[in-house]
């Protein structure tokens, strides 16, 4: 929290300059019990980083268990490339364990089967890559992961009761309005209410947010599934979906992913 001094209910965007250019540093892990596949992906990641002038640190792991043991001490990974079919613990189960502690790390599954794709929604996986991994596709996904990491550094500042409160965009699950008051619901189940038109707050957000009807804005990253009448979020929250919004919301989800 940052102590505010003058403005009331003032909102502004803060864009972190820590990664203003693509020549940044990223920490990656590759987890695959097939030594040949692991080394192949490692060579592609190094090639991608060299071409784009990006500094990377890459660690490889032969099992989900070995990674989680290491992760207990080092949680500062930006991107995880996970094989789905491994030994006792598969990549999806491993990803669920990680997601309970880290909402921002970018997870990419690598698999020889398409059966697991639906499970990726539960852990907000960035992408599924089918084996054998194609160089151009991996490069595209890695670049998109970096873009999402940079987006996750964007924040709102809210001044409430003399205090300036910083809320990262990625923490915002949804925003709703009642009368003249907007409530911001974050992933930590905290709520921040300010007197402000919803449209004014909407202008401050980026393209990961989608307005459903007149009274709600939802973060597309938190949507697990959508029906004709309800939007289900990954934490179990159910938001009513106004009539006529189903198709446009689905198009937004597809474009966002």
């Amino acid at each position: 929290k940052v102590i505010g001094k003058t403005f009331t209910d003032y909102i502004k965007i803060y864009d972190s300059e820590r990664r203003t250019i693509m020549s940044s540093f990223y920490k990656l892990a590759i987890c695959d019990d097939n030594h040949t596949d692991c080394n192949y992906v490692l060579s592609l990641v190094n090639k991608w980083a060299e071409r784009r002038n990006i500094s990377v640190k890459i660690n490889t792991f032969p099992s989900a268990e070995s990674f989680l043991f290491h992760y207990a001490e080092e949680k500062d990974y930006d991107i995880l490339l996970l094989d789905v079919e491994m030994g006792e613990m598969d990549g999806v189960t491993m990803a669920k364990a990680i997601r309970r502690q880290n909402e921002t790390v970018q997870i990419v599954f690598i698999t020889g089967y398409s059966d697991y794709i639906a499970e990726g929604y539960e852990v907000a996986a960035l992408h599924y890559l089918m084996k054998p991994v194609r160089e151009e596709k991996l490069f595209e996904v890695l670049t998109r992961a970096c873009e999402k990491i940079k987006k996750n550094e964007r924040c709102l500042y809210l001044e409430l009761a003399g205090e300036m409160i910083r809320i990262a965009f990625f923490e915002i699950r949804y925003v709703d309005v009642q009368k003249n008051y907007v409530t911001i619901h974050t992933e930590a189940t905290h709520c921040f209410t300010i007197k402000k038109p919803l449209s004014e707050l909407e202008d401050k957000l980026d393209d990961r947010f989608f307005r459903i009807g007149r009274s709600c804005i939802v973060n597309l990253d938190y949507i697990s599934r959508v029906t004709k009448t309800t939007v289900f979020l990954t934490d179990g929250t159910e938001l009513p979906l106004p009539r006529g919004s189903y198709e446009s919301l689905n198009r937004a989800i597809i474009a966002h992913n």
Side-chain angles (χ1 to χ4, degrees):
K1 293 184 178 181
V2 182
I3 301 300
K5 293 182 179 179
T6 55
F7 303 105
T8 302
D9 291 343
Y10 176 71
I11 302 175
K12 71 177 182 178
I13 298 294
Y14 170 76
D15 287 303
S16 172
E17 295 181 358
R18 184 163 63 88
R19 288 188 176 141
T20 55
I21 56 175
M22 284 301 290
S23 55
S24 302
F25 173 80
Y26 297 96
K27 187 173 178 179
L28 298 87
I30 303 170
C31 190
D32 196 323
D33 60 353
N34 185 301
H35 183 70
T36 301
D37 289 348
C38 186
N39 283 340
Y40 172 63
V41 173
L42 175 63
S43 68
L44 292 183
V45 174
N46 280 319
K47 186 175 181 180
W48 165 80
E50 183 178 356
R51 285 189 180 180
R52 285 161 177 76
N53 191 31
I54 296 173
S55 299
V56 294
K57 178 181 180 181
I58 310 167
N59 292 326
T60 62
F61 301 88
S63 68
E65 292 84 354
S66 63
F67 173 79
L68 290 175
F69 181 80
H70 171 85
Y71 187 73
E73 300 296 328
E74 290 188 31
K75 293 184 169 64
D76 58 338
Y77 282 90
D78 297 300
I79 303 170
L80 306 180
L81 302 171
L82 310 180
D83 183 24
V84 174
E85 305 86 18
M86 290 188 283
E88 291 187 15
M89 180 183 292
D90 60 72
V92 175
T93 302
M94 169 183 162
K96 290 177 180 178
I98 293 166
R99 269 290 178 253
R100 286 194 287 268
Q101 306 174 56
N102 190 329
E103 287 285 346
T104 60
V105 65
Q106 299 302 303
I107 296 175
V108 178
F109 287 121
I110 300 175
T111 178
Y113 305 93
S114 59
D115 302 350
Y116 298 93
I117 291 177
E119 296 186 60
Y121 289 106
E122 297 182 38
V123 294
L126 177 67
H127 203 85
Y128 266 86
L129 292 172
M130 298 297 295
K131 292 184 178 182
V133 175
R134 293 179 11 241
E135 177 180 303
E136 64 275 13
K137 190 62 180 178
L138 177 60
F139 285 12
E140 174 190 320
V141 170
L142 289 173
T143 300
R144 188 149 58 94
C146 293
E147 291 170 353
K148 291 201 71 171
I149 291 166
K150 289 188 291 183
K151 283 177 66 176
N152 283 343
E153 294 171 349
R154 301 194 68 191
C155 300
L156 282 177
Y157 278 96
L158 309 181
E159 187 168 345
L160 299 170
E163 274 193 313
M164 188 68 79
I165 299 172
R166 177 181 180 272
I167 308 175
F169 278 11
F170 74 83
E171 293 181 320
I172 300 173
R173 295 179 296 131
Y174 67 99
V175 181
D176 58 10
V177 62
Q178 291 188 4
K179 296 184 178 180
N180 296 322
Y181 289 87
V182 168
T183 299
I184 300 165
H185 303 262
T186 71
E187 65 175 0
T189 67
H190 294 144
C191 297
F192 303 92
T193 299
I194 56 173
K195 190 175 183 179
K196 184 71 61 177
L198 186 63
S199 58
E200 187 170 330
L201 180 59
E202 182 181 16
D203 292 339
K204 308 297 183 181
L205 301 173
D206 62 18
D207 59 5
R208 83 191 77 184
F209 294 93
F210 185 83
R211 185 162 180 168
I212 49 176
R214 295 190 297 177
S215 61
C216 186
I217 299 171
V218 64
N219 187 335
L220 298 172
D221 290 332
Y222 282 94
I223 295 177
S224 61
R225 65 188 181 95
V226 178
T227 68
K228 296 285 186 180
T229 59
T230 308
V231 179
F232 296 88
L233 304 187
T234 53
D235 66 348
T237 299
E238 298 181 14
L239 303 175
L241 185 62
R243 184 180 301 175
S245 300
Y246 178 78
E247 295 296 337
S248 58
L249 176 56
N250 271 312
R251 285 195 296 269
I253 293 171
I254 292 169
H256 179 66
N257 292 330

